[in-house]
Amino acid sequence: MAEEKTFPMTLEGKAKIEEELNTLITETRSEITGRIQLARSFGDLSENSEYASAKDEQAFVEGRIKTLQNMLDNAEIIDSSEIAVDEVAVGKKVTFKELPDEEPETYSIVGAVEANPSEGKISNESPIAAALIGHEVGERVTVSLPNGFDMEVEILSVEVA
């Protein structure tokens, strides 16, 4: 039997998933049920686009609920305070610069389910985060990029995110 995939995440990420799950279960489900009941009142279901649309949305929401429940059931909460202060890990904010002389960049490393690059949160599974995890301030790390090239970065600082 295959092992379940674990989902590393911070406490903040877990709380966001629980909030989304709660909203889907307590609000969205009942809204869709109401739309389905209303669409049924229109008569012939075989040519009822409102009914078909509501049923499609219901299927999507039920799938999302199952996905979120699976993530929470298999969550691995990362407590970055238990990791050395200057070591890169999930739940830490790392500042690095590409060598030889690029501008510093700062990202929080989070589990894949929390990743949002536009908010400065990158997945622990991304090439750069995966290469940096376990390294410390002052170290130079080679990052293998998806395009086949490598880049060398220097870790400038690490702090709890």
Side-chain angles (χ1 to χ4, degrees):
M1 188 166 138
E3 280 189 43
E4 288 285 331
K5 178 182 177 178
T6 60
F7 298 91
M9 62 182 76
T10 63
L11 283 173
E12 176 188 344
K14 182 179 183 219
K16 285 183 179 179
I17 291 172
E18 289 171 334
E19 182 181 330
E20 180 184 353
L21 180 60
N22 185 50
T23 300
L24 289 173
I25 291 171
T26 61
E27 297 172 22
T28 310
R29 262 185 181 165
S30 61
E31 290 170 7
I32 294 171
T33 300
R35 287 182 38 222
I36 290 172
Q37 290 172 347
L38 178 63
R40 278 187 178 151
S41 71
F42 296 151
D44 185 7
L45 298 181
S46 66
E47 294 182 19
N48 187 328
S49 63
E50 289 89 356
Y51 179 79
S53 174
K55 289 299 279 183
D56 287 346
E57 186 176 357
Q58 181 183 45
F60 174 80
V61 167
E62 292 303 320
R64 182 69 180 156
I65 288 171
K66 285 182 180 173
T67 298
L68 294 174
Q69 286 174 329
N70 182 51
M71 287 178 184
L72 291 171
D73 290 345
N74 296 291
E76 178 187 352
I77 304 304
I78 305 297
D79 183 358
S80 60
S81 67
E82 296 177 357
I83 299 166
V85 175
D86 61 349
E87 181 180 336
V88 179
V90 173
K92 300 268 186 113
K93 186 181 288 188
V94 60
T95 301
F96 61 90
K97 71 174 183 175
E98 185 179 348
L99 298 174
D101 58 4
E102 294 291 321
E103 291 294 314
E105 298 179 48
T106 302
Y107 295 98
S108 293
I109 299 178
V110 296
V113 298
E114 300 173 70
N116 187 340
S118 65
E119 292 180 3
K121 296 178 180 182
I122 59 172
S123 166
N124 63 311
E125 297 174 1
S126 70
I128 194 139
L132 294 175
I133 289 175
H135 292 279
E136 297 181 352
V137 173
E139 286 189 52
R140 291 179 175 208
V141 179
T142 300
V143 179
S144 297
L145 301 173
N147 63 7
F149 291 98
D150 290 340
M151 77 175 177
E152 187 174 15
V153 300
E154 180 179 357
I155 301 170
L156 302 175
S157 70
V158 176
E159 59 189 81
V160 175

